[in-house]
Amino acid sequence: MQLYNSLTRTKEPFVPHEPGRVSMYTCGPTVYHYAHIGNLRTYIMEDVLDRYLRYAGYDVRRVMNITDVGHLTSDADSGEDKMLKGARREHKTVMEIARFYTDCFFEDCRKLNIRRPDVVEPATACIGDFIRVISALLEKGYAYKAGGNIYFDTSRLKQYYVFHNFEEEDLAVGVREGVEEDGNKRNKADFVLWFTKSKFADQELKWESPWGLGYPGWHIECSCISMKHLGEYLDLHCGGIDNAFPHHTNEIAQSEAYLGHPWCRCWFHVHHLNTASGKMSKSKGEFLTLSLLESRGYDPMVYRFFCLQSHYRRSLVFSYENMDNAKAAYRRLVARVAALRPEGEVDRAAFEAQRAAFVQAMDNDLNTSLALTALYDALKAPLNDATRLALAEDYDRVLCLNLAEAARRLREEESAAPAADAALVREIEAQIAARAEAKRAKNYAEADRIRAELAARGVTLIDTREGTTYRLEGQGKA
Ligand code: AMP
Ligand code: ZN
């Protein structure tokens, strides 16, 4: 398989350290708010990579962290802790916030068929590991203590800026505008490994350490959690492109300083999902969630399909018009699968010949849009239905668009529609009334339950200024 490696800036053969086995690390969410659909684009594309490697026969072990401490509002060690900010906003404790948004994140993943990594590790569960690695960095002279904090000394490295060709002199502190200079730093690019003193000293979660009561910086968690579960040699490290600097650059600095040898061979970065007005951002608070898309009548599979239509190394623009196009295209795809009858024998030779196009697309730096073309080609190839269906199901082990399930539902709906109509309409309307009542009583949990129950049955509620309408799977608005 050819994969673009941000480290070498080239598309190159992906060769894991141990033949047949892949160690894969993914930067997980900072759980202070809902994931926005930009974050979810990154996790969808990483999921396709994970699934394709397994499909290709690799034994993949994938680890993801949950950032529940240490990520400040600026990636360059300044500003308030994001978790603390979330807790203040909602009048809850940091751990309550972390638990709630971690659950929400995995619920979104479930709806989007994003496989749960083999290991999911919250940063707060690994404080001892961070302290051990930071102590070793101090011993080796790669870290220093200043103003109560422990900093990584980037001047000790031959090359610090691995992902960017920036001249050090050109860089403002941590490259972000509006970041105050931290007078304790010996070099502009140095970063905090452990805080005991910050302007925001009212941090809720603190731990004893050899340097006093404090908390870890954000970058150290990914290095430590990866090494803890995947050892000294990592094959694949994934994240959104914004993480390349400073986060991944700092991860490489501290991991390689600690290990004394190269650490990760291949870096996979997913480019951003933007809106017409620019980058989507959790911290700005103006973001789109999967639930919002659902409430507007888009099945999560439509969003997954939308993401797969473009290459992960291109930025992608979100608009409702684009979503409507994806929705119509996904529906047509499902209808094609639903029209197939599993009759006859699968023609194995034809199956393999056809499958080569899918494999070729995916082997070419995970070209999912070409893989979808390969799927359309398979559905219209001069083959019997059984072979076409087998191909669609085979590709869907990687694409995970629920094709077989959606096709089955569509067939059921089509055969049941006329007889059930009247009774169903009465029942839906009763449920809409019950939900409105629950909302009036501020019982939002009950209102959400009703919406989810209807959604599970293919009824999508649409809230408008005039009231609630609904859409039935495979049919227009009622
Ligand atoms: P966070 O929860 O902020 O730590 O981010 C989770 C993941 O989403 C990281 O891999 C980010 O790089 C990625 N990410 C953040 N914003 C976007 C975006 N607009 N589009 C795609 N991925 C993003
Ligand atoms: Zn990370």
Side-chain angles (χ1 to χ4, degrees):
M1 180 187 196
Q2 296 269 324
L3 210 51
Y4 182 86
N5 182 357
S6 311
L7 203 58
T8 55
R9 293 184 179 81
T10 48
K11 203 152 78 170
E12 56 188 30
F14 173 67
V15 186
H17 200 256
E18 256 184 82
R21 303 185 69 167
V22 176
S23 55
M24 179 172 178
Y25 183 82
T26 298
C27 288
T30 309
V31 284
Y32 70 112
H33 217 318
Y34 296 107
H36 59 59
I37 57 173
N39 303 128
L40 294 170
R41 178 196 189 194
T42 290
Y43 294 112
I44 288 170
M45 301 318 285
E46 292 170 353
D47 179 67
V48 175
L49 176 59
D50 177 3
R51 288 181 187 272
Y52 184 65
L53 290 168
R54 289 171 204 264
Y55 174 94
Y58 287 107
D59 177 6
V60 180
R61 181 163 163 82
R62 182 164 177 212
V63 175
M64 180 193 270
N65 68 308
I66 298 290
T67 299
D68 53 1
V69 68
H71 194 173
L72 307 187
T73 47
S74 151
D75 289 346
D77 296 338
S78 75
E80 211 173 348
D81 184 282
K82 288 188 180 185
M83 293 302 300
L84 195 59
K85 202 173 154 188
R88 287 229 186 88
R89 183 185 65 230
E90 299 183 21
H91 309 290
K92 292 192 178 136
T93 66
V94 164
M95 287 324 275
E96 281 168 344
I97 288 287
R99 210 169 307 124
F100 179 78
Y101 288 113
T102 301
D103 290 348
C104 292
F105 172 72
F106 284 113
E107 179 57 12
D108 284 350
C109 288
R110 191 190 59 73
K111 289 177 181 167
L112 287 165
N113 282 344
I114 297 171
R115 192 180 169 281
R116 191 182 169 97
D118 305 293
V119 176
V120 174
E121 183 86 280
T124 49
C126 300
I127 302 298
D129 299 288
F130 307 156
I131 291 176
R132 197 169 42 75
V133 172
I134 297 169
S135 304
L137 289 172
L138 277 163
E139 260 167 50
K140 290 179 167 212
Y142 282 105
Y144 59 91
K145 194 171 174 182
N149 299 331
I150 309 296
Y151 293 85
F152 186 90
D153 184 353
T154 53
S155 72
R156 287 288 322 277
L157 302 176
K158 275 203 214 87
Q159 193 202 2
Y160 166 68
Y161 295 105
V162 285
F163 287 124
H164 289 258
N165 292 323
F166 297 134
E167 290 298 323
E168 282 187 46
E169 295 307 311
D170 295 343
L171 279 168
V173 180
V175 299
R176 303 290 158 105
E177 280 171 27
V179 173
E180 270 179 57
E181 185 131 13
D182 178 345
N184 296 319
K185 291 187 185 183
R186 290 186 192 159
N187 313 288
K188 283 180 184 170
D190 290 357
F191 53 94
V192 179
L193 297 166
W194 187 270
F195 289 95
T196 67
K197 296 239 164 25
S198 113
K199 269 204 309 204
F200 302 93
D202 48 355
Q203 178 76 3
E204 196 178 293
L205 296 176
K206 287 184 189 170
W207 293 265
E208 284 298 345
S209 80
W211 321 289
L213 198 63
Y215 60 100
W218 172 41
H219 315 295
I220 193 70
E221 72 175 82
C222 287
S223 290
C224 291
I225 293 174
S226 168
M227 289 192 270
K228 177 175 177 183
H229 295 286
L230 298 169
E232 292 193 6
Y233 295 93
L234 182 62
D235 293 315
L236 199 49
H237 194 309
C238 310
I241 189 71
D242 59 312
N243 279 348
F245 188 84
H247 183 50
H248 292 161
T249 304
N250 292 351
E251 279 188 45
I252 293 173
Q254 65 207 359
S255 301
E256 298 195 350
Y258 171 75
L259 293 168
H261 61 68
W263 172 50
C264 176
R265 1 181 101 195
C266 184
W267 290 79
F268 176 88
H269 287 121
V270 180
H271 286 242
H272 273 174
L273 179 81
N274 300 314
T275 59
S277 60
K279 190 190 150 191
M280 213 171 285
S281 150
K282 260 195 263 192
S283 49
K284 282 192 213 152
E286 42 177 54
F287 57 87
L288 295 152
T289 59
L290 188 65
S291 311
L292 179 69
L293 293 189
E294 286 182 285
S295 71
R296 291 193 170 213
Y298 301 101
D299 182 322
M301 282 304 103
V302 169
Y303 184 63
R304 185 167 172 117
F305 180 78
F306 170 71
C307 291
L308 298 192
Q309 284 178 313
S310 14
H311 196 260
Y312 75 91
R313 274 196 301 120
R314 294 240 170 88
S315 52
L316 178 60
V317 176
F318 174 85
S319 70
Y320 283 108
E321 197 187 339
N322 291 345
M323 280 299 284
D324 286 337
N325 292 336
K327 182 174 180 172
Y330 177 69
R331 190 174 283 172
R332 283 196 301 273
L333 177 61
V334 170
R336 275 200 194 177
V337 177
L340 299 175
R341 293 289 164 260
E343 289 154 4
E345 289 277 300
V346 175
D347 178 341
R348 279 287 142 200
F351 177 98
E352 287 305 330
Q354 195 71 40
R355 197 178 76 93
F358 174 76
V359 169
Q360 194 181 20
M362 296 299 281
D363 274 350
N364 182 10
D365 194 23
L366 211 73
N367 194 328
T368 50
S369 70
L370 261 184
L372 286 174
T373 305
L375 172 60
Y376 287 116
D377 289 347
L379 291 173
K380 59 177 191 242
L383 304 165
N384 66 16
D385 274 10
T387 309
R388 289 176 178 162
L389 201 56
L391 284 162
E393 287 179 2
D394 184 69
Y395 302 177
D396 210 33
R397 284 164 50 207
V398 177
L399 305 174
C400 275
L401 293 167
N402 284 359
L403 292 178
E405 168 66 14
R408 188 188 55 72
R409 277 210 312 265
L410 184 63
R411 276 197 303 270
E412 272 175 18
E413 273 162 31
E414 279 168 359
S415 60
D421 260 354
L424 184 64
V425 166
R426 271 199 306 277
E427 201 203 330
I428 293 170
E429 299 201 333
Q431 293 275 52
I432 288 176
R435 177 168 168 268
E437 188 49 50
K439 275 180 149 182
R440 267 194 297 278
K442 295 202 169 16
N443 186 353
Y444 298 113
E446 171 65 4
D448 285 348
R449 191 197 60 74
I450 293 173
R451 180 156 62 91
E453 191 188 320
L454 288 172
R457 300 170 58 192
V459 182
T460 305
L461 297 186
I462 304 155
D463 291 321
T464 69
R465 222 174 286 162
E466 289 72 42
T468 302
T469 61
Y470 63 93
R471 188 183 284 130
L472 283 171
E473 199 88 72
Q475 294 177 25
K477 210 177 198 180

